[in-house]
Amino acid sequence: MGRHHHVENQLKYAEAYDADDGESYGQRNHHYKMLPFLTKNKTMILTHTSSLITHLLSLPRFPPTSSTPPLHPSPQGFLRSISGYKYCSSRVNREAMANGIKLVQNSDAISYLNQREAAEVDEILMGPLGFSVDQLMELAGLSVATAIAEVYNVKEYNRVLTICGPGNNGGDGLVAARHLHHFGYKPLVCYPKRTQKPLYTGLVTQLESLGIPFISVDDLCINLSGDFNILVDAMFGFSFVGTPRPPFDDLIQWLVNLHNYDDINQKRPVVASIDIPSGWHVEEGDITGDGIKPDMLVSLTAPKLCAKKFCGTHHFLGGRFVPPSIVDKFKLHLPPYPGTSMCVRIGKAPQVDISSMRENYISPELKEEDVEADPFVQFQKWFDDAMAAGLKEPNAMALCTAGKDGKPSSRMVLLKGFDKDGFVWYTNYGSRKAKDLSENANASLLFYWDGLNRQVRIEGSVQKVPEEESESYFHSRPRGSQIGAIASKQSTVIPGREFLHQEYKDLEAKFSDGAPIPKPENWGGYRLKPDFFEFWQGQTSRLHDRVCYFPQEVDSTIAWKIKRLAP
């Protein structure tokens, strides 16, 4: 009873404050006055942590190098190279966070909070559960930036305007702008009524230190379509009550007017609202029907009731900080977050016309005079670029084989070493690919590095690597992978997954003494010796670069001839 009375008083306070100055600090900040103030030391620690996060995100993805690394002479050297790069890139591998698989959720099964419940959740988070407002703001802003990056490709939607209100919703927008900058976007911020609290002035300082411009309302062009690809609505959150006052009334109307934009030569910018579309009633939504109609809504903690009226294309939930005690207290049904992702899609993904899907690649030109004379050295350079870019599994390659019947088959395998003698991978000698190669030793490899608009195609003949080489690599693998290689009779029919688990458990018990695990006789490596390379670089209007290497005998020695193919 007392808690509900306390929240009711907060709502009254918010209403009075909002009538004068847009959004108040909201429920999150008002009840802070009821909590013990942070000590000076704790404030310094939190500020330092924020600075540390900003610093880590700005670090280069890989150690700079002044020269091209040598070719990997062995699988072991190759593995050491990969592990070194992965250690460096994993610290700031934002793509792993943004590109995690998003679960499609049934929106009818998700819990929605009313305004009072939303306020009470925040009160508990920042009271007995020990969260601070800047912690929640950091997580919220990161979630918003991640959701935007999940949907809107930075190549096509790189110009972002974040419109921030004076309260916590505006703070979430400031944090989101910082993360979007680190994700490669070019954000600008409109922050007309700045809150002179250390937390907010610190966020502004962080953005200014990154060179992120702040733009006034007067300097904004009324036609926002020509200047920006994404407009982030971070004006008002769930604590807003009343009618928006200047300049936010005009800003909201500008966002509304975007839906009347009909210039066929220019794409309308998308609108992404944080938690609540500004001007909407937190429970009843767009009451008049004349409000903002965002393309994306990123609900925080749990969706608010107004989100049921959201008719845009992309609804995400972000935050990932709701502990079990709150889930139990409010009987929340929330979707699980996949992997390390900070956001999860609510509702079905939009239907897409596959025939209209296309990418207009923008890349440096690949000219014959600029490539290396040796295709192995050229591959090394491109592979190093893929490693440095932090791409996921740059050593993943499609292996294409065909048996004596001529039927092709493809699968993804992992490159485990390359040198002048060829490209090496490991597998079960009883698999489909092994059977194909025993009947037809010709195969092809395809590497595709999406982040760089590149692919490499390699063709040649295949043979098994020496037994001692397979033995050495087998024992370099994690012990679990060694057991897995024995447990799986690759490409054979098994009764079910439990059968595979049982095989693994039995072998795990058998080798529990820690003694070396013998390599199976039917397991080992293959090496493809190339007789053809193609380096493909995506370009605009389908005018892609295709530079190929063909072997040619010159003075009784084999040299490589470089030719260009039409795209």
Side-chain angles (χ1 to χ4, degrees):
M1 180 71 180
R3 183 179 298 279
H4 286 290
H5 178 70
H6 175 59
V7 174
E8 186 175 72
N9 287 338
Q10 292 177 4
L11 292 173
K12 290 178 180 178
Y13 176 87
E15 182 174 4
Y17 194 107
D18 288 340
D20 177 61
D21 197 23
E23 186 189 13
S24 71
Y25 278 158
Q27 305 311 327
R28 284 192 258 176
N29 277 6
H30 173 61
H31 58 250
Y32 252 68
K33 297 182 178 181
M34 310 301 174
L35 301 174
F37 287 102
L38 291 171
T39 66
K40 180 178 180 182
N41 288 339
K42 180 178 279 190
T43 303
M44 291 173 64
I45 293 171
L46 291 172
T47 304
H48 175 72
T49 303
S50 299
S51 300
L52 177 62
I53 292 171
T54 302
H55 172 67
L56 288 176
L57 288 172
S58 67
L59 287 173
R61 290 169 178 256
F62 62 100
T65 177
S66 58
S67 60
T68 302
L71 293 174
H72 299 293
S74 67
Q76 289 73 29
F78 176 78
L79 288 170
R80 283 193 294 270
S81 176
I82 285 181
S83 64
Y85 273 114
K86 281 192 175 180
Y87 172 77
C88 295
S89 65
S90 63
R91 292 177 299 175
V92 289
N93 193 348
R94 300 183 294 267
E95 287 81 1
M97 190 167 52
N99 293 336
I101 298 174
K102 300 294 179 280
L103 305 180
V104 176
Q105 304 294 334
N106 178 1
S107 58
D108 293 334
I110 303 296
S111 297
Y112 293 79
L113 299 176
N114 60 34
Q115 189 176 37
R116 186 180 298 277
E117 290 169 334
E120 190 173 356
V121 166
D122 268 8
E123 180 180 4
I124 296 171
L125 283 171
M126 294 188 291
L129 293 182
F131 283 89
S132 62
V133 66
D134 48 349
Q135 283 180 311
L136 296 178
M137 198 172 285
E138 186 68 30
L139 291 169
L142 177 58
S143 300
V144 171
T146 301
I148 289 173
E150 170 70 18
V151 173
Y152 300 112
N153 189 306
V154 67
K155 294 178 182 177
E156 296 182 49
Y157 295 87
N158 64 332
R159 291 174 292 123
V160 183
L161 173 66
T162 303
I163 307 174
C164 299
N168 284 330
N169 203 258
D172 296 342
L174 295 173
V175 174
R178 168 160 44 82
H179 287 294
L180 287 170
H181 168 84
H182 289 301
F183 291 175
Y185 294 83
K186 297 177 182 177
L188 278 77
V189 176
C190 179
Y191 191 20
K193 287 200 172 184
R194 301 191 180 193
T195 300
Q196 298 304 316
K197 293 277 187 177
L199 169 59
Y200 296 87
T201 56
L203 294 175
V204 169
T205 299
Q206 291 166 19
L207 297 180
E208 291 175 337
S209 71
L210 295 172
I212 296 175
F214 282 78
I215 186 170
S216 69
V217 176
D218 292 337
D219 290 334
L220 275 178
C221 177
I222 294 179
N223 176 14
L224 300 175
S225 302
D227 297 322
F228 304 102
N229 307 123
I230 303 174
L231 303 173
V232 180
D233 163 28
M235 288 180 273
F236 304 128
F238 68 78
S239 64
F240 177 78
V241 178
T243 302
R245 289 182 173 271
F248 297 105
D249 52 351
D250 285 339
L251 289 168
I252 289 174
Q253 191 58 47
W254 287 357
L255 298 186
V256 171
N257 291 342
L258 287 173
H259 289 274
N260 301 322
Y261 188 71
D262 57 2
D263 187 343
I264 60 174
N265 298 316
Q266 196 173 62
K267 185 163 59 175
R268 175 182 69 81
V270 297
V271 177
S273 289
I274 298 180
D275 207 28
I276 306 290
S278 293
W280 280 30
H281 189 282
V282 67
E283 296 173 359
E284 299 176 27
D286 183 13
I287 299 175
T288 64
D290 298 326
I292 297 175
K293 295 176 176 57
D295 303 272
M296 168 182 277
L297 175 63
V298 184
S299 294
L300 299 173
T301 309
K304 313 310 179 285
L305 278 174
C306 67
K308 290 189 174 185
K309 307 293 179 64
F310 171 69
C311 296
T313 308
H314 307 286
H315 186 191
F316 280 81
L317 177 64
R320 199 167 188 167
F321 46 69
V322 182
S325 59
I326 286 183
V327 172
D328 294 341
K329 177 178 177 60
F330 293 91
K331 297 180 173 57
L332 297 179
H333 297 281
L334 301 175
Y337 288 84
T340 58
S341 180
M342 290 299 297
C343 61
V344 57
R345 183 182 288 276
I346 297 176
K348 294 181 179 180
Q351 295 295 314
V352 177
D353 178 7
I354 296 177
S355 67
S356 68
M357 295 176 66
R358 57 183 50 86
E359 181 81 20
N360 197 28
Y361 303 104
I362 300 175
S363 313
E365 291 183 343
L366 182 66
K367 299 179 180 179
E368 295 90 321
E369 59 267 27
D370 295 333
V371 299
E372 299 291 336
D374 186 331
F376 289 94
V377 177
Q378 181 63 36
F379 180 86
Q380 175 80 69
K381 289 180 65 175
W382 272 26
F383 187 83
D384 289 342
D385 288 345
M387 296 288 287
L391 304 184
K392 184 178 181 181
E393 293 194 316
N395 60 325
M397 58 187 185
L399 167 65
C400 302
T401 59
K404 62 183 178 182
D405 58 5
K407 292 183 178 180
S409 63
S410 301
R411 76 288 293 160
M412 299 301 295
V413 297
L414 295 177
L415 177 69
K416 290 300 177 180
F418 67 91
D419 54 26
K420 295 288 187 179
D421 293 325
F423 294 75
V424 176
W425 69 93
Y426 292 86
T427 188
N428 189 300
Y429 287 150
S431 62
R432 163 75 183 274
K433 52 186 169 294
K435 181 176 182 298
D436 283 354
L437 291 170
S438 68
E439 298 173 351
N440 178 0
N442 296 304
S444 69
L445 306 174
L446 175 66
F447 295 84
Y448 178 61
W449 297 313
D450 175 64
L452 299 174
N453 303 331
R454 289 175 176 175
Q455 58 180 318
V456 181
R457 193 157 57 91
I458 305 171
E459 298 174 1
S461 59
V462 179
Q463 61 182 9
K464 292 180 179 178
V465 304
E467 182 66 14
E468 59 270 20
E469 194 171 324
S470 293
E471 187 83 33
S472 176
Y473 173 71
F474 180 80
H475 289 108
S476 74
R477 307 176 83 203
R479 196 170 179 85
S481 297
Q482 296 181 41
I483 295 174
I486 303 173
S488 174
K489 309 300 186 289
Q490 197 174 106
S491 299
T492 62
V493 177
I494 59 176
R497 185 161 183 81
E498 283 305 314
F499 173 84
L500 192 63
H501 279 301
Q502 190 58 50
E503 287 282 304
Y504 185 91
K505 289 178 182 178
D506 292 345
L507 289 167
E508 199 173 32
K510 178 180 178 180
F511 298 116
S512 61
D513 60 357
I517 300 172
K519 183 189 77 66
E521 292 184 4
N522 66 337
W523 190 95
Y526 284 103
R527 177 178 282 106
L528 182 145
K529 186 174 182 61
D531 56 29
F532 172 80
F533 285 82
E534 179 186 320
F535 292 85
W536 181 96
Q537 178 77 69
Q539 300 293 356
T540 58
S541 303
R542 276 200 82 259
L543 300 180
H544 312 308
D545 292 315
R546 296 177 65 189
V547 175
C548 302
Y549 292 76
F550 299 86
Q552 182 176 333
E553 188 172 335
V554 178
D555 297 330
S556 300
T557 61
I558 299 297
W560 291 95
K561 180 73 172 180
I562 299 174
K563 297 180 180 179
R564 174 177 289 270
L565 300 182

Short mmCIF file of all heavy atoms in Angstrom, two decimals, residues 102-108 110 310-316 344-352:
data_model
loop_
_atom_site.label_atom_id
_atom_site.label_comp_id
_atom_site.label_asym_id
_atom_site.label_seq_id
_atom_site.Cartn_x
_atom_site.Cartn_y
_atom_site.Cartn_z
N LYS A 102 18.31 -13.14 -34.06
CA LYS A 102 17.22 -12.60 -33.26
C LYS A 102 16.02 -13.54 -33.34
O LYS A 102 15.59 -13.93 -34.42
CB LYS A 102 16.83 -11.21 -33.78
CG LYS A 102 17.98 -10.22 -33.71
CD LYS A 102 18.37 -9.94 -32.28
CE LYS A 102 19.52 -8.98 -32.21
NZ LYS A 102 20.81 -9.58 -32.44
N LEU A 103 15.49 -13.91 -32.19
CA LEU A 103 14.36 -14.83 -32.16
C LEU A 103 13.08 -14.11 -32.55
O LEU A 103 12.83 -13.00 -32.14
CB LEU A 103 14.21 -15.40 -30.74
CG LEU A 103 15.45 -16.09 -30.16
CD1 LEU A 103 15.15 -16.59 -28.77
CD2 LEU A 103 15.89 -17.23 -31.06
N VAL A 104 12.26 -14.77 -33.35
CA VAL A 104 10.97 -14.22 -33.71
C VAL A 104 9.99 -14.58 -32.60
O VAL A 104 9.81 -15.74 -32.26
CB VAL A 104 10.49 -14.79 -35.06
CG1 VAL A 104 9.10 -14.30 -35.38
CG2 VAL A 104 11.46 -14.40 -36.16
N GLN A 105 9.35 -13.57 -32.02
CA GLN A 105 8.49 -13.79 -30.87
C GLN A 105 7.03 -13.54 -31.21
O GLN A 105 6.71 -12.71 -32.05
CB GLN A 105 8.90 -12.84 -29.73
CG GLN A 105 10.37 -12.96 -29.33
CD GLN A 105 10.70 -14.28 -28.72
OE1 GLN A 105 9.82 -14.93 -28.15
NE2 GLN A 105 11.94 -14.70 -28.85
N ASN A 106 6.16 -14.26 -30.53
CA ASN A 106 4.72 -14.00 -30.63
C ASN A 106 4.40 -12.83 -29.72
O ASN A 106 4.46 -12.94 -28.50
CB ASN A 106 3.95 -15.26 -30.22
CG ASN A 106 2.45 -15.05 -30.25
OD1 ASN A 106 1.96 -13.97 -30.61
ND2 ASN A 106 1.71 -16.08 -29.88
N SER A 107 4.05 -11.68 -30.32
CA SER A 107 3.85 -10.48 -29.51
C SER A 107 2.68 -10.61 -28.55
O SER A 107 2.63 -9.92 -27.53
CB SER A 107 3.64 -9.27 -30.44
OG SER A 107 2.53 -9.49 -31.30
N ASP A 108 1.74 -11.51 -28.82
CA ASP A 108 0.59 -11.67 -27.93
C ASP A 108 0.99 -12.35 -26.62
O ASP A 108 0.28 -12.27 -25.63
CB ASP A 108 -0.50 -12.49 -28.62
CG ASP A 108 -1.12 -11.73 -29.80
OD1 ASP A 108 -1.08 -10.48 -29.76
OD2 ASP A 108 -1.62 -12.38 -30.72
N ILE A 110 3.79 -11.73 -24.98
CA ILE A 110 4.72 -10.86 -24.25
C ILE A 110 3.95 -10.01 -23.25
O ILE A 110 2.83 -9.58 -23.50
CB ILE A 110 5.47 -9.95 -25.24
CG1 ILE A 110 6.20 -10.78 -26.29
CG2 ILE A 110 6.43 -9.03 -24.51
CD1 ILE A 110 7.28 -11.65 -25.74
N PHE A 310 1.57 -0.10 -31.66
CA PHE A 310 2.65 0.15 -32.61
C PHE A 310 2.42 -0.66 -33.88
O PHE A 310 2.24 -1.88 -33.83
CB PHE A 310 4.00 -0.22 -31.98
CG PHE A 310 5.17 -0.20 -32.93
CD1 PHE A 310 5.63 0.99 -33.45
CD2 PHE A 310 5.80 -1.38 -33.31
CE1 PHE A 310 6.70 1.02 -34.33
CE2 PHE A 310 6.87 -1.37 -34.17
CZ PHE A 310 7.33 -0.16 -34.69
N CYS A 311 2.41 0.02 -35.01
CA CYS A 311 2.14 -0.65 -36.30
C CYS A 311 3.35 -0.59 -37.23
O CYS A 311 3.21 -0.89 -38.43
CB CYS A 311 0.94 0.00 -36.98
SG CYS A 311 -0.61 -0.18 -36.07
N GLY A 312 4.50 -0.20 -36.70
CA GLY A 312 5.69 -0.13 -37.54
C GLY A 312 6.24 -1.50 -37.86
O GLY A 312 5.69 -2.54 -37.48
N THR A 313 7.35 -1.49 -38.56
CA THR A 313 7.93 -2.74 -39.07
C THR A 313 8.75 -3.49 -38.03
O THR A 313 8.73 -4.71 -37.98
CB THR A 313 8.82 -2.43 -40.29
OG1 THR A 313 8.07 -1.66 -41.23
CG2 THR A 313 9.26 -3.72 -40.96
N HIS A 314 9.48 -2.75 -37.19
CA HIS A 314 10.46 -3.39 -36.32
C HIS A 314 10.22 -3.03 -34.85
O HIS A 314 10.37 -1.87 -34.46
CB HIS A 314 11.88 -2.97 -36.72
CG HIS A 314 12.19 -3.17 -38.16
ND1 HIS A 314 12.42 -4.42 -38.70
CD2 HIS A 314 12.29 -2.28 -39.19
CE1 HIS A 314 12.65 -4.29 -40.00
NE2 HIS A 314 12.58 -3.01 -40.31
N HIS A 315 9.86 -4.03 -34.05
CA HIS A 315 9.70 -3.83 -32.61
C HIS A 315 10.73 -4.71 -31.90
O HIS A 315 10.74 -5.93 -32.07
CB HIS A 315 8.28 -4.21 -32.16
CG HIS A 315 8.00 -3.89 -30.73
ND1 HIS A 315 6.89 -4.33 -30.06
CD2 HIS A 315 8.71 -3.15 -29.81
CE1 HIS A 315 6.92 -3.89 -28.82
NE2 HIS A 315 8.01 -3.18 -28.65
N PHE A 316 11.59 -4.07 -31.13
CA PHE A 316 12.63 -4.79 -30.39
C PHE A 316 12.47 -4.53 -28.89
O PHE A 316 11.95 -3.48 -28.49
CB PHE A 316 14.03 -4.33 -30.81
CG PHE A 316 14.50 -4.94 -32.10
CD1 PHE A 316 14.09 -4.42 -33.32
CD2 PHE A 316 15.37 -6.02 -32.11
CE1 PHE A 316 14.52 -4.96 -34.51
CE2 PHE A 316 15.81 -6.57 -33.30
CZ PHE A 316 15.39 -6.04 -34.51
N VAL A 344 16.27 -8.11 -28.71
CA VAL A 344 15.58 -9.26 -29.28
C VAL A 344 14.32 -8.76 -29.97
O VAL A 344 13.63 -7.88 -29.46
CB VAL A 344 15.25 -10.30 -28.19
CG1 VAL A 344 14.41 -9.73 -27.08
CG2 VAL A 344 14.54 -11.52 -28.79
N ARG A 345 14.03 -9.30 -31.12
CA ARG A 345 12.87 -8.85 -31.89
C ARG A 345 11.59 -9.37 -31.25
O ARG A 345 11.52 -10.52 -30.81
CB ARG A 345 12.96 -9.34 -33.33
CG ARG A 345 11.83 -8.85 -34.22
CD ARG A 345 11.94 -9.41 -35.63
NE ARG A 345 13.03 -8.80 -36.38
CZ ARG A 345 12.93 -7.65 -37.03
NH1 ARG A 345 11.81 -6.95 -36.98
NH2 ARG A 345 13.95 -7.19 -37.71
N ILE A 346 10.57 -8.53 -31.23
CA ILE A 346 9.23 -8.91 -30.79
C ILE A 346 8.34 -8.94 -32.03
O ILE A 346 8.31 -7.98 -32.80
CB ILE A 346 8.67 -7.92 -29.75
CG1 ILE A 346 9.53 -7.94 -28.49
CG2 ILE A 346 7.23 -8.25 -29.41
CD1 ILE A 346 9.11 -6.92 -27.45
N GLY A 347 7.59 -10.00 -32.20
CA GLY A 347 6.74 -10.11 -33.36
C GLY A 347 7.49 -10.67 -34.55
O GLY A 347 8.70 -10.95 -34.50
N LYS A 348 6.81 -10.84 -35.62
CA LYS A 348 7.39 -11.46 -36.81
C LYS A 348 8.26 -10.47 -37.56
O LYS A 348 7.99 -9.29 -37.62
CB LYS A 348 6.28 -11.97 -37.74
CG LYS A 348 5.46 -13.10 -37.14
CD LYS A 348 4.40 -13.58 -38.12
CE LYS A 348 3.60 -14.73 -37.53
NZ LYS A 348 2.54 -15.21 -38.47
N ALA A 349 9.31 -11.01 -38.16
CA ALA A 349 10.15 -10.18 -39.03
C ALA A 349 9.35 -9.80 -40.27
O ALA A 349 8.46 -10.53 -40.69
CB ALA A 349 11.40 -10.97 -39.43
N PRO A 350 9.63 -8.65 -40.85
CA PRO A 350 8.85 -8.19 -42.00
C PRO A 350 9.04 -9.09 -43.22
O PRO A 350 10.10 -9.69 -43.41
CB PRO A 350 9.42 -6.79 -42.27
CG PRO A 350 10.79 -6.83 -41.69
CD PRO A 350 10.70 -7.72 -40.49
N GLN A 351 7.99 -9.20 -44.02
CA GLN A 351 8.07 -9.93 -45.27
C GLN A 351 8.90 -9.12 -46.26
O GLN A 351 8.75 -7.91 -46.37
CB GLN A 351 6.68 -10.18 -45.84
CG GLN A 351 5.81 -11.11 -44.98
CD GLN A 351 6.38 -12.52 -44.91
OE1 GLN A 351 6.77 -13.08 -45.93
NE2 GLN A 351 6.44 -13.07 -43.71
N VAL A 352 9.76 -9.80 -46.96
CA VAL A 352 10.66 -9.12 -47.88
C VAL A 352 10.48 -9.68 -49.28
O VAL A 352 10.34 -10.89 -49.48
CB VAL A 352 12.14 -9.31 -47.44
CG1 VAL A 352 13.09 -8.67 -48.43
CG2 VAL A 352 12.35 -8.72 -46.05
#
